[in-house]
């Protein structure tokens, strides 16, 4: 891909007795070697929309001391981001994060500082990482996405991405356990500020395995029944490019718009990790849902296997907040294996879910779950973890490209 210098203008800058003429360059997403990892929608003018947790925009730049991004927001529910400059998280006033959309005016472009004080003669890696779910803890999807337009810097040049060995690819599908809901615990502000996908077990797994990852995770959602109301299910959201874009038919909570159907052949994972069932319940009065849960879950795995191919391996998890869906998950694995689909039980039992973390795994438990998951995935896939140590990554706030 070629770099497009859109809207550049030249200005004079005095440097001693000489005047340096430097372009202020706007690097547009779709026309440059920027990497966008995670589900996103690209528009003809080059800007991209996204709302899933863990989506990241990756750039290598030189020539600028200060770099900013231009973004905008649709919807009123706050999104939180972490920016990494050369692998170091730039922490702001929001806990374990860089910036928030909380005070943004809807559909208005915002200039967001990313990195400052850079050596303009060196090369720098910049990552913009979305650290919250599509529409925090909301059981009714309405559009709530972020748009990315460009990266701006005085004299900046965008460089081609580094050539890396073939990365593993992992897709995650889950609920609040996967999204990192309340994993920062006891945050006075609460709400989205207490959630950090950057510190969640899926993100830590990706760092340890040096994997490129996609994630679809939303608190309160289930496979066939949500915990606390709402008709749209996580099995519906999994089909979408933007999780929060609903059907244009108000009577159809399970659908979405035609242009929002995700193209499953556009990104093929080596492994798919699913942890759904806590919100379905499947005990007491909800035991009657088990047959529907089994059928829907198995159909999802079968459909994914057809789209991704026979080499993709499925890891179906149970725990740590409930074990009511463990037996159904094991039944689904048995059925999938009998059809020639590679599927393995992922044990998420035994991890504490502290009351001060809203009864969910906290960041410490996320780290423990990541260590356990890496070992189980390595054993099944024959992979080796990165030479980077998870503790050195500060449990999600170290280098995301280590």
């Amino acid at each position: 891909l070629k770099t497009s210098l859109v809207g550049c203008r030249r200005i004079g800058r005095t440097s001693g007795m000489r005047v340096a003429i430097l372009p202020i360059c706007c690097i547009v997403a779709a026309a440059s070697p920027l990497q966008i990892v995670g589900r996103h929608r690209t528009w003809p003018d080059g800007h991209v929309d996204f709302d899933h947790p863990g989506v990241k925009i990756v750039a290598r730049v030189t020539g600028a001391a200060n770099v900013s991004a231009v973004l905008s927001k649709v919807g009123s529910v706050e999104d939180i981001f972490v920016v990494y400059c050369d692998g170091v998280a730039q922490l702001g006033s929001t806990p374990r994060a860089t910036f928030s959309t909380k005070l943004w005016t809807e559909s208005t472009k915002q200039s967001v500082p990313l990195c400052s004080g850079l050596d303009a003669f060196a090369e720098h890696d910049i990552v913009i990482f979305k650290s919250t779910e599509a529409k925090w803890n909301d059981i009714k999807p309405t559009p709530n996405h972020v748009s990315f337009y460009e990266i701006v810097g005085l004299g900046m040049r965008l460089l081609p991405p580094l050539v890396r060995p073939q990365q593993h690819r992992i897709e995650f599908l889950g609920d609040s356990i996967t999204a990192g809901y309340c994993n920062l615990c006891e945050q006075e502000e609460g709400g989205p500020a207490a959630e950090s996908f950057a510190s969640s077990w899926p993100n830590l797994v990706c760092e340890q395995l040096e994997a490129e990852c996609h994630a679809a995770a939303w608190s309160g959602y289930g496979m066939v029944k949500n915990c606390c109301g709402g008709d749209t299910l996580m099995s519906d959201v999994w089909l979408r490019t933007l999780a929060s874009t609903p059907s244009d038919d108000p009577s159809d909570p399970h659908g979405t718009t035609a242009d929002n159907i995700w193209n499953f052949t556009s990104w093929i994972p080596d492994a798919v990790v699913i942890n759904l069932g806590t919100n379905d319940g499947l005990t007491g009065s909800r035991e009657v849902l088990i047959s529907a849960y089994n059928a829907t879950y198995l159909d999802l795995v079968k459909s994914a296997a057809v789209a991704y191919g026979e080499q993709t391996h499925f890891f179906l998890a149970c725990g740590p907040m409930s074990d009511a869906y463990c037996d159904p998950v094991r039944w689904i694995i048995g059925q999938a294996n009998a059809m020639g689909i590679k599927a393995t039980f992922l044990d998420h039992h035994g991890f504490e879910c502290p009351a001060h973390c809203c009864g969910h795994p906290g960041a410490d438990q996320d780290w423990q779950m990541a260590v356990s998951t890496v070992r189980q995935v390595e054993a099944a896939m024959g992979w080796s973890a990165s030479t980077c140590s998870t503790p050195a990554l500060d449990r999600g706030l170290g280098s995301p490209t280590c």
Side-chain angles (χ1 to χ4, degrees), residues 350-395:
F351 300 103
E352 187 182 2
C353 298
H356 68 279
C357 302
C358 315
H360 284 67
D364 288 341
Q365 290 74 41
D366 273 318
W367 177 77
Q368 296 165 7
M369 290 174 66
V371 171
S372 174
T373 300
V374 165
R375 289 171 180 164
Q376 294 179 71
V377 170
E378 283 181 327
M381 301 293 291
W383 293 350
S384 296
S386 164
T387 55
C388 302
S389 66
T390 300
L393 294 177
D394 194 21
R395 301 185 182 186

mmCIF file of all heavy atoms in Angstrom, residues 350-395:
data_model
loop_
_atom_site.group_PDB
_atom_site.id
_atom_site.type_symbol
_atom_site.label_atom_id
_atom_site.label_comp_id
_atom_site.label_asym_id
_atom_site.label_seq_id
_atom_site.Cartn_x
_atom_site.Cartn_y
_atom_site.Cartn_z
ATOM 1 N N GLY A 350 -11.609 -22.472 38.986
ATOM 2 C CA GLY A 350 -10.671 -22.292 40.082
ATOM 3 C C GLY A 350 -10.082 -20.907 40.241
ATOM 4 O O GLY A 350 -9.214 -20.713 41.088
ATOM 5 N N PHE A 351 -10.540 -19.954 39.451
ATOM 6 C CA PHE A 351 -10.017 -18.595 39.575
ATOM 7 C C PHE A 351 -11.002 -17.749 40.378
ATOM 8 O O PHE A 351 -12.203 -17.783 40.138
ATOM 9 C CB PHE A 351 -9.771 -17.985 38.197
ATOM 10 C CG PHE A 351 -8.784 -18.763 37.376
ATOM 11 C CD1 PHE A 351 -9.217 -19.597 36.354
ATOM 12 C CD2 PHE A 351 -7.426 -18.682 37.640
ATOM 13 C CE1 PHE A 351 -8.321 -20.323 35.596
ATOM 14 C CE2 PHE A 351 -6.515 -19.421 36.893
ATOM 15 C CZ PHE A 351 -6.966 -20.246 35.869
ATOM 16 N N GLU A 352 -10.479 -16.986 41.294
ATOM 17 C CA GLU A 352 -11.321 -16.187 42.183
ATOM 18 C C GLU A 352 -12.045 -15.091 41.413
ATOM 19 O O GLU A 352 -11.513 -14.527 40.441
ATOM 20 C CB GLU A 352 -10.455 -15.558 43.272
ATOM 21 C CG GLU A 352 -11.239 -14.831 44.352
ATOM 22 C CD GLU A 352 -10.342 -14.189 45.392
ATOM 23 O OE1 GLU A 352 -9.103 -14.277 45.244
ATOM 24 O OE2 GLU A 352 -10.886 -13.607 46.348
ATOM 25 N N CYS A 353 -13.258 -14.811 41.854
ATOM 26 C CA CYS A 353 -14.047 -13.703 41.303
ATOM 27 C C CYS A 353 -14.441 -12.813 42.485
ATOM 28 O O CYS A 353 -15.534 -12.944 43.035
ATOM 29 C CB CYS A 353 -15.282 -14.225 40.571
ATOM 30 S SG CYS A 353 -14.904 -15.286 39.157
ATOM 31 N N PRO A 354 -13.563 -11.881 42.879
ATOM 32 C CA PRO A 354 -13.758 -11.132 44.133
ATOM 33 C C PRO A 354 -14.992 -10.231 44.103
ATOM 34 O O PRO A 354 -15.360 -9.678 43.064
ATOM 35 C CB PRO A 354 -12.477 -10.288 44.231
ATOM 36 C CG PRO A 354 -11.482 -10.970 43.340
ATOM 37 C CD PRO A 354 -12.292 -11.561 42.230
ATOM 38 N N ALA A 355 -15.595 -10.078 45.255
ATOM 39 C CA ALA A 355 -16.781 -9.222 45.372
ATOM 40 C C ALA A 355 -16.462 -7.790 44.996
ATOM 41 O O ALA A 355 -17.286 -7.094 44.384
ATOM 42 C CB ALA A 355 -17.331 -9.289 46.795
ATOM 43 N N HIS A 356 -15.260 -7.303 45.341
ATOM 44 C CA HIS A 356 -14.916 -5.921 45.019
ATOM 45 C C HIS A 356 -14.604 -5.729 43.539
ATOM 46 O O HIS A 356 -14.345 -4.604 43.105
ATOM 47 C CB HIS A 356 -13.750 -5.432 45.893
ATOM 48 C CG HIS A 356 -12.438 -6.092 45.598
ATOM 49 N ND1 HIS A 356 -12.099 -7.335 46.082
ATOM 50 C CD2 HIS A 356 -11.373 -5.675 44.878
ATOM 51 C CE1 HIS A 356 -10.896 -7.667 45.670
ATOM 52 N NE2 HIS A 356 -10.433 -6.672 44.940
ATOM 53 N N CYS A 357 -14.634 -6.821 42.769
ATOM 54 C CA CYS A 357 -14.519 -6.745 41.304
ATOM 55 C C CYS A 357 -15.861 -7.096 40.673
ATOM 56 O O CYS A 357 -15.915 -7.682 39.569
ATOM 57 C CB CYS A 357 -13.435 -7.682 40.804
ATOM 58 S SG CYS A 357 -11.796 -7.376 41.499
ATOM 59 N N CYS A 358 -16.942 -6.766 41.366
ATOM 60 C CA CYS A 358 -18.306 -7.024 40.875
ATOM 61 C C CYS A 358 -18.571 -8.509 40.672
ATOM 62 O O CYS A 358 -19.390 -8.892 39.828
ATOM 63 C CB CYS A 358 -18.586 -6.264 39.570
ATOM 64 S SG CYS A 358 -18.043 -4.554 39.538
ATOM 65 N N GLY A 359 -17.852 -9.358 41.445
ATOM 66 C CA GLY A 359 -18.026 -10.795 41.304
ATOM 67 C C GLY A 359 -17.414 -11.373 40.048
ATOM 68 O O GLY A 359 -17.743 -12.498 39.649
ATOM 69 N N HIS A 360 -16.519 -10.628 39.414
ATOM 70 C CA HIS A 360 -15.844 -11.050 38.185
ATOM 71 C C HIS A 360 -14.344 -11.222 38.447
ATOM 72 O O HIS A 360 -13.828 -10.733 39.460
ATOM 73 C CB HIS A 360 -16.043 -10.006 37.082
ATOM 74 C CG HIS A 360 -17.396 -10.027 36.458
ATOM 75 N ND1 HIS A 360 -18.536 -9.678 37.146
ATOM 76 C CD2 HIS A 360 -17.796 -10.358 35.194
ATOM 77 C CE1 HIS A 360 -19.585 -9.781 36.342
ATOM 78 N NE2 HIS A 360 -19.165 -10.204 35.159
ATOM 79 N N PRO A 361 -13.632 -11.860 37.519
ATOM 80 C CA PRO A 361 -12.174 -11.894 37.656
ATOM 81 C C PRO A 361 -11.607 -10.479 37.611
ATOM 82 O O PRO A 361 -11.996 -9.675 36.754
ATOM 83 C CB PRO A 361 -11.718 -12.711 36.434
ATOM 84 C CG PRO A 361 -12.926 -13.487 36.010
ATOM 85 C CD PRO A 361 -14.106 -12.629 36.345
ATOM 86 N N GLY A 362 -10.708 -10.176 38.542
ATOM 87 C CA GLY A 362 -9.992 -8.915 38.500
ATOM 88 C C GLY A 362 -8.755 -9.043 37.627
ATOM 89 O O GLY A 362 -8.481 -10.100 37.040
ATOM 90 N N ALA A 363 -7.970 -7.969 37.526
ATOM 91 C CA ALA A 363 -6.778 -7.992 36.681
ATOM 92 C C ALA A 363 -5.794 -9.070 37.124
ATOM 93 O O ALA A 363 -5.143 -9.710 36.288
ATOM 94 C CB ALA A 363 -6.109 -6.618 36.693
ATOM 95 N N ASP A 364 -5.676 -9.311 38.446
ATOM 96 C CA ASP A 364 -4.785 -10.375 38.923
ATOM 97 C C ASP A 364 -5.266 -11.740 38.455
ATOM 98 O O ASP A 364 -4.475 -12.598 38.037
ATOM 99 C CB ASP A 364 -4.702 -10.347 40.447
ATOM 100 C CG ASP A 364 -3.899 -9.175 40.973
ATOM 101 O OD1 ASP A 364 -3.117 -8.591 40.198
ATOM 102 O OD2 ASP A 364 -4.057 -8.841 42.163
ATOM 103 N N GLN A 365 -6.585 -11.958 38.525
ATOM 104 C CA GLN A 365 -7.136 -13.236 38.068
ATOM 105 C C GLN A 365 -7.045 -13.358 36.547
ATOM 106 O O GLN A 365 -6.830 -14.450 36.015
ATOM 107 C CB GLN A 365 -8.585 -13.385 38.528
ATOM 108 C CG GLN A 365 -8.754 -13.598 40.035
ATOM 109 C CD GLN A 365 -8.530 -12.341 40.844
ATOM 110 O OE1 GLN A 365 -8.965 -11.259 40.440
ATOM 111 N NE2 GLN A 365 -7.875 -12.461 41.995
ATOM 112 N N ASP A 366 -7.199 -12.232 35.836
ATOM 113 C CA ASP A 366 -7.016 -12.253 34.379
ATOM 114 C C ASP A 366 -5.615 -12.734 34.021
ATOM 115 O O ASP A 366 -5.420 -13.517 33.087
ATOM 116 C CB ASP A 366 -7.252 -10.860 33.786
ATOM 117 C CG ASP A 366 -8.707 -10.596 33.466
ATOM 118 O OD1 ASP A 366 -9.370 -11.494 32.931
ATOM 119 O OD2 ASP A 366 -9.188 -9.475 33.736
ATOM 120 N N TRP A 367 -4.634 -12.263 34.770
ATOM 121 C CA TRP A 367 -3.257 -12.691 34.521
ATOM 122 C C TRP A 367 -3.116 -14.198 34.761
ATOM 123 O O TRP A 367 -2.505 -14.911 33.958
ATOM 124 C CB TRP A 367 -2.317 -11.897 35.427
ATOM 125 C CG TRP A 367 -0.877 -12.303 35.297
ATOM 126 C CD1 TRP A 367 -0.016 -11.975 34.300
ATOM 127 C CD2 TRP A 367 -0.130 -13.108 36.212
ATOM 128 N NE1 TRP A 367 1.220 -12.530 34.533
ATOM 129 C CE2 TRP A 367 1.182 -13.225 35.701
ATOM 130 C CE3 TRP A 367 -0.452 -13.726 37.417
ATOM 131 C CZ2 TRP A 367 2.166 -13.952 36.356
ATOM 132 C CZ3 TRP A 367 0.544 -14.446 38.068
ATOM 133 C CH2 TRP A 367 1.833 -14.551 37.540
ATOM 134 N N GLN A 368 -3.714 -14.686 35.851
ATOM 135 C CA GLN A 368 -3.652 -16.126 36.143
ATOM 136 C C GLN A 368 -4.372 -16.936 35.058
ATOM 137 O O GLN A 368 -3.884 -18.001 34.637
ATOM 138 C CB GLN A 368 -4.280 -16.395 37.508
ATOM 139 C CG GLN A 368 -3.544 -15.765 38.678
ATOM 140 C CD GLN A 368 -4.375 -15.729 39.949
ATOM 141 O OE1 GLN A 368 -5.481 -16.283 40.014
ATOM 142 N NE2 GLN A 368 -3.871 -15.068 40.975
ATOM 143 N N MET A 369 -5.520 -16.446 34.616
ATOM 144 C CA MET A 369 -6.267 -17.143 33.565
ATOM 145 C C MET A 369 -5.479 -17.162 32.260
ATOM 146 O O MET A 369 -5.516 -18.147 31.511
ATOM 147 C CB MET A 369 -7.628 -16.478 33.349
ATOM 148 C CG MET A 369 -8.595 -16.682 34.507
ATOM 149 S SD MET A 369 -10.125 -15.739 34.314
ATOM 150 C CE MET A 369 -10.849 -16.553 32.878
ATOM 151 N N ALA A 370 -4.766 -16.069 31.975
ATOM 152 C CA ALA A 370 -3.957 -16.019 30.757
ATOM 153 C C ALA A 370 -2.848 -17.054 30.790
ATOM 154 O O ALA A 370 -2.601 -17.761 29.804
ATOM 155 C CB ALA A 370 -3.379 -14.620 30.574
ATOM 156 N N VAL A 371 -2.167 -17.165 31.945
ATOM 157 C CA VAL A 371 -1.093 -18.156 32.076
ATOM 158 C C VAL A 371 -1.636 -19.556 31.841
ATOM 159 O O VAL A 371 -1.055 -20.366 31.105
ATOM 160 C CB VAL A 371 -0.436 -18.048 33.467
ATOM 161 C CG1 VAL A 371 0.532 -19.202 33.698
ATOM 162 C CG2 VAL A 371 0.290 -16.708 33.616
ATOM 163 N N SER A 372 -2.782 -19.862 32.451
ATOM 164 C CA SER A 372 -3.397 -21.176 32.288
ATOM 165 C C SER A 372 -3.839 -21.414 30.849
ATOM 166 O O SER A 372 -3.621 -22.494 30.283
ATOM 167 C CB SER A 372 -4.600 -21.301 33.235
ATOM 168 O OG SER A 372 -5.296 -22.505 33.014
ATOM 169 N N THR A 373 -4.438 -20.409 30.237
ATOM 170 C CA THR A 373 -4.921 -20.553 28.857
ATOM 171 C C THR A 373 -3.775 -20.767 27.890
ATOM 172 O O THR A 373 -3.859 -21.617 26.984
ATOM 173 C CB THR A 373 -5.731 -19.306 28.452
ATOM 174 O OG1 THR A 373 -6.844 -19.151 29.330
ATOM 175 C CG2 THR A 373 -6.237 -19.425 27.019
ATOM 176 N N VAL A 374 -2.698 -20.020 28.069
ATOM 177 C CA VAL A 374 -1.527 -20.187 27.203
ATOM 178 C C VAL A 374 -1.017 -21.622 27.270
ATOM 179 O O VAL A 374 -0.716 -22.252 26.246
ATOM 180 C CB VAL A 374 -0.415 -19.183 27.582
ATOM 181 C CG1 VAL A 374 0.917 -19.581 26.950
ATOM 182 C CG2 VAL A 374 -0.795 -17.776 27.152
ATOM 183 N N ARG A 375 -0.930 -22.176 28.476
ATOM 184 C CA ARG A 375 -0.434 -23.550 28.625
ATOM 185 C C ARG A 375 -1.350 -24.546 27.928
ATOM 186 O O ARG A 375 -0.885 -25.475 27.254
ATOM 187 C CB ARG A 375 -0.312 -23.890 30.111
ATOM 188 C CG ARG A 375 0.822 -23.154 30.817
ATOM 189 C CD ARG A 375 0.762 -23.353 32.322
ATOM 190 N NE ARG A 375 1.855 -22.655 33.015
ATOM 191 C CZ ARG A 375 1.886 -22.407 34.301
ATOM 192 N NH1 ARG A 375 0.863 -22.810 35.071
ATOM 193 N NH2 ARG A 375 2.905 -21.773 34.850
ATOM 194 N N GLN A 376 -2.659 -24.360 28.071
ATOM 195 C CA GLN A 376 -3.607 -25.292 27.457
ATOM 196 C C GLN A 376 -3.607 -25.179 25.928
ATOM 197 O O GLN A 376 -3.675 -26.176 25.223
ATOM 198 C CB GLN A 376 -5.010 -25.043 28.013
ATOM 199 C CG GLN A 376 -5.143 -25.369 29.499
ATOM 200 C CD GLN A 376 -6.540 -25.082 30.031
ATOM 201 O OE1 GLN A 376 -7.497 -25.793 29.707
ATOM 202 N NE2 GLN A 376 -6.665 -24.039 30.851
ATOM 203 N N VAL A 377 -3.514 -23.951 25.434
ATOM 204 C CA VAL A 377 -3.488 -23.747 23.987
ATOM 205 C C VAL A 377 -2.181 -24.267 23.399
ATOM 206 O O VAL A 377 -2.173 -24.932 22.353
ATOM 207 C CB VAL A 377 -3.698 -22.261 23.641
ATOM 208 C CG1 VAL A 377 -3.439 -21.998 22.156
ATOM 209 C CG2 VAL A 377 -5.112 -21.817 24.010
ATOM 210 N N GLU A 378 -1.073 -23.982 24.075
ATOM 211 C CA GLU A 378 0.224 -24.489 23.611
ATOM 212 C C GLU A 378 0.206 -26.011 23.499
ATOM 213 O O GLU A 378 0.697 -26.590 22.517
ATOM 214 C CB GLU A 378 1.321 -24.083 24.586
ATOM 215 C CG GLU A 378 1.774 -22.650 24.477
ATOM 216 C CD GLU A 378 2.875 -22.327 25.468
ATOM 217 O OE1 GLU A 378 2.879 -22.900 26.579
ATOM 218 O OE2 GLU A 378 3.730 -21.505 25.130
ATOM 219 N N ALA A 379 -0.352 -26.657 24.501
ATOM 220 C CA ALA A 379 -0.370 -28.126 24.510
ATOM 221 C C ALA A 379 -1.174 -28.676 23.345
ATOM 222 O O ALA A 379 -0.783 -29.680 22.728
ATOM 223 C CB ALA A 379 -0.940 -28.617 25.839
ATOM 224 N N ALA A 380 -2.285 -28.042 23.033
ATOM 225 C CA ALA A 380 -3.145 -28.549 21.957
ATOM 226 C C ALA A 380 -2.627 -28.173 20.574
ATOM 227 O O ALA A 380 -2.791 -28.940 19.617
ATOM 228 C CB ALA A 380 -4.567 -28.008 22.138
ATOM 229 N N MET A 381 -1.999 -26.989 20.460
ATOM 230 C CA MET A 381 -1.583 -26.485 19.154
ATOM 231 C C MET A 381 -0.115 -26.760 18.837
ATOM 232 O O MET A 381 0.309 -26.599 17.682
ATOM 233 C CB MET A 381 -1.835 -24.975 19.085
ATOM 234 C CG MET A 381 -3.276 -24.550 19.292
ATOM 235 S SD MET A 381 -4.378 -25.085 17.954
ATOM 236 C CE MET A 381 -3.827 -24.064 16.595
ATOM 237 N N GLY A 382 0.663 -27.110 19.856
ATOM 238 C CA GLY A 382 2.085 -27.301 19.626
ATOM 239 C C GLY A 382 2.829 -25.986 19.456
ATOM 240 O O GLY A 382 3.862 -25.923 18.786
ATOM 241 N N TRP A 383 2.307 -24.921 20.053
ATOM 242 C CA TRP A 383 2.933 -23.602 19.969
ATOM 243 C C TRP A 383 3.863 -23.380 21.151
ATOM 244 O O TRP A 383 3.796 -24.075 22.159
ATOM 245 C CB TRP A 383 1.881 -22.497 19.988
ATOM 246 C CG TRP A 383 0.987 -22.440 18.791
ATOM 247 C CD1 TRP A 383 1.139 -23.134 17.616
ATOM 248 C CD2 TRP A 383 -0.207 -21.655 18.640
ATOM 249 N NE1 TRP A 383 0.126 -22.823 16.751
ATOM 250 C CE2 TRP A 383 -0.716 -21.915 17.339
ATOM 251 C CE3 TRP A 383 -0.865 -20.753 19.459
ATOM 252 C CZ2 TRP A 383 -1.880 -21.299 16.867
ATOM 253 C CZ3 TRP A 383 -2.015 -20.140 18.998
ATOM 254 C CH2 TRP A 383 -2.511 -20.414 17.711
ATOM 255 N N SER A 384 4.700 -22.343 21.022
ATOM 256 C CA SER A 384 5.551 -21.904 22.122
ATOM 257 C C SER A 384 5.248 -20.445 22.409
ATOM 258 O O SER A 384 5.022 -19.653 21.490
ATOM 259 C CB SER A 384 7.035 -22.053 21.772
ATOM 260 O OG SER A 384 7.365 -23.420 21.592
ATOM 261 N N ALA A 385 5.277 -20.087 23.685
ATOM 262 C CA ALA A 385 4.993 -18.710 24.075
ATOM 263 C C ALA A 385 6.157 -17.806 23.691
ATOM 264 O O ALA A 385 7.272 -18.247 23.418
ATOM 265 C CB ALA A 385 4.738 -18.626 25.575
ATOM 266 N N SER A 386 5.890 -16.516 23.695
ATOM 267 C CA SER A 386 6.902 -15.511 23.398
ATOM 268 C C SER A 386 8.003 -15.551 24.445
ATOM 269 O O SER A 386 7.808 -15.977 25.574
ATOM 270 C CB SER A 386 6.242 -14.137 23.391
ATOM 271 O OG SER A 386 7.206 -13.115 23.478
ATOM 272 N N THR A 387 9.180 -15.041 24.064
ATOM 273 C CA THR A 387 10.261 -14.895 25.035
ATOM 274 C C THR A 387 9.991 -13.731 25.982
ATOM 275 O O THR A 387 10.652 -13.582 26.993
ATOM 276 C CB THR A 387 11.595 -14.646 24.310
ATOM 277 O OG1 THR A 387 11.449 -13.513 23.432
ATOM 278 C CG2 THR A 387 11.995 -15.868 23.511
ATOM 279 N N CYS A 388 9.002 -12.874 25.633
ATOM 280 C CA CYS A 388 8.608 -11.804 26.555
ATOM 281 C C CYS A 388 7.938 -12.438 27.765
ATOM 282 O O CYS A 388 7.163 -13.372 27.620
ATOM 283 C CB CYS A 388 7.606 -10.859 25.898
ATOM 284 S SG CYS A 388 8.186 -10.098 24.385
ATOM 285 N N SER A 389 8.202 -11.947 28.947
ATOM 286 C CA SER A 389 7.544 -12.478 30.131
ATOM 287 C C SER A 389 6.309 -11.659 30.445
ATOM 288 O O SER A 389 6.310 -10.443 30.342
ATOM 289 C CB SER A 389 8.496 -12.452 31.322
ATOM 290 O OG SER A 389 8.807 -11.131 31.672
ATOM 291 N N THR A 390 5.233 -12.336 30.818
ATOM 292 C CA THR A 390 3.994 -11.627 31.120
ATOM 293 C C THR A 390 4.167 -10.610 32.246
ATOM 294 O O THR A 390 3.682 -9.497 32.137
ATOM 295 C CB THR A 390 2.884 -12.635 31.467
ATOM 296 O OG1 THR A 390 2.687 -13.505 30.356
ATOM 297 C CG2 THR A 390 1.574 -11.918 31.749
ATOM 298 N N PRO A 391 4.861 -10.925 33.358
ATOM 299 C CA PRO A 391 5.028 -9.904 34.385
ATOM 300 C C PRO A 391 5.712 -8.644 33.861
ATOM 301 O O PRO A 391 5.379 -7.539 34.249
ATOM 302 C CB PRO A 391 5.873 -10.604 35.448
ATOM 303 C CG PRO A 391 5.571 -12.054 35.271
ATOM 304 C CD PRO A 391 5.408 -12.226 33.786
ATOM 305 N N ALA A 392 6.665 -8.808 32.934
ATOM 306 C CA ALA A 392 7.368 -7.645 32.387
ATOM 307 C C ALA A 392 6.439 -6.776 31.560
ATOM 308 O O ALA A 392 6.701 -5.598 31.345
ATOM 309 C CB ALA A 392 8.551 -8.105 31.529
ATOM 310 N N LEU A 393 5.334 -7.355 31.094
ATOM 311 C CA LEU A 393 4.387 -6.577 30.312
ATOM 312 C C LEU A 393 3.422 -5.825 31.201
ATOM 313 O O LEU A 393 2.486 -5.187 30.724
ATOM 314 C CB LEU A 393 3.593 -7.516 29.394
ATOM 315 C CG LEU A 393 4.398 -8.215 28.297
ATOM 316 C CD1 LEU A 393 3.508 -9.169 27.523
ATOM 317 C CD2 LEU A 393 5.012 -7.204 27.357
ATOM 318 N N ASP A 394 3.649 -5.858 32.524
ATOM 319 C CA ASP A 394 2.795 -5.150 33.475
ATOM 320 C C ASP A 394 1.329 -5.563 33.316
ATOM 321 O O ASP A 394 0.429 -4.759 33.445
ATOM 322 C CB ASP A 394 2.942 -3.636 33.311
ATOM 323 C CG ASP A 394 2.341 -2.872 34.489
ATOM 324 O OD1 ASP A 394 2.179 -3.473 35.556
ATOM 325 O OD2 ASP A 394 2.019 -1.690 34.318
ATOM 326 N N ARG A 395 1.123 -6.821 33.013
ATOM 327 C CA ARG A 395 -0.213 -7.392 32.924
ATOM 328 C C ARG A 395 -1.133 -6.577 32.030
ATOM 329 O O ARG A 395 -2.237 -6.213 32.386
ATOM 330 C CB ARG A 395 -0.794 -7.549 34.319
ATOM 331 C CG ARG A 395 0.093 -8.440 35.184
ATOM 332 C CD ARG A 395 -0.494 -8.728 36.536
ATOM 333 N NE ARG A 395 0.454 -9.540 37.311
ATOM 334 C CZ ARG A 395 0.189 -10.042 38.489
ATOM 335 N NH1 ARG A 395 -0.972 -9.856 39.056
ATOM 336 N NH2 ARG A 395 1.085 -10.758 39.121
#
